[in-house]
Amino acid sequence: MTQDAIEQAWDAVVGTARRTVTDGLVVGTSGNVSARVGDLVLVTPSGVPYDRLTPADLVAVDLDGTRIRGRLAPTSELPMHLEIYRRTTARAVVHTHAVHATAVSALVTELPLIHYMAAALGGPVRVAPYALYGTEELAAHVLRALDGRTGCLLRNHGTVTYGDDLDQAYDRTAQLEWMCRVWLTASSVPGLAPSLLSAAELDEVAEKFRGYGRPR
């Protein structure tokens, strides 16, 4: 692992964090982004506006959460990020407080199958039960909701997705927010209920994706 690789990964973390603000997925310093480089996890710091982050603000921890580099405290959601890295193949994690996804998380225990892109996240998107932010309890809830999935909702909180890189993790976040918006829009029409896909229809999509390339 070279210094250049770490610096490039940090640039990508900062760029992705700023994108969450630009695209309206977070407000202020809410949400957080991380990337794994070898045995290090580069993560956004706590309480610092993303537009103020510089190369000197790099924060890196090991998989036990010990700070290896940087002077700033890592995000309060570090337990959730680390548990995902320890238990999955994740190389990048994006957590947001996206409006439509957060609204859906307060209504259902699983996002209804409103669109076939749920297959790109591994199947029906679950809602992790509520727990105080930044706790090991929340991290455990999230890990269970992610079983066989690459994204989930957090009850009354937001979203978390992971991927092989930050682009993939971010694309999955954006896709999840879009699906939540579609379901909320369709279900808000008086007197009508949206049609939903069956599990068999979603399985058919998942099979087609396997021959299509990497869904993002």
Side-chain angles (χ1 to χ4, degrees), residues 12-25:
V13 166
V14 171
T16 301
R18 289 174 177 167
R19 189 177 175 191
T20 65
V21 176
T22 300
D23 291 352
L25 300 179

Side-chain angles (χ1 to χ4, degrees), residues 83 126-129 136-149 152:
E83 191 67 2
R126 307 182 186 104
V127 179
E136 297 289 350
E137 181 184 11
L138 178 59
H141 288 335
V142 166
L143 199 64
R144 285 192 288 272
L146 286 174
D147 184 23
R149 307 287 186 270
C152 71

Side-chain angles (χ1 to χ4, degrees), residues 36 83-90 143 146 149 162:
R36 182 172 178 176
E83 191 67 2
I84 293 171
Y85 287 119
R86 288 191 293 250
R87 306 297 182 186
T88 75
T89 59
L143 199 64
L146 286 174
R149 307 287 186 270
Y162 72 84

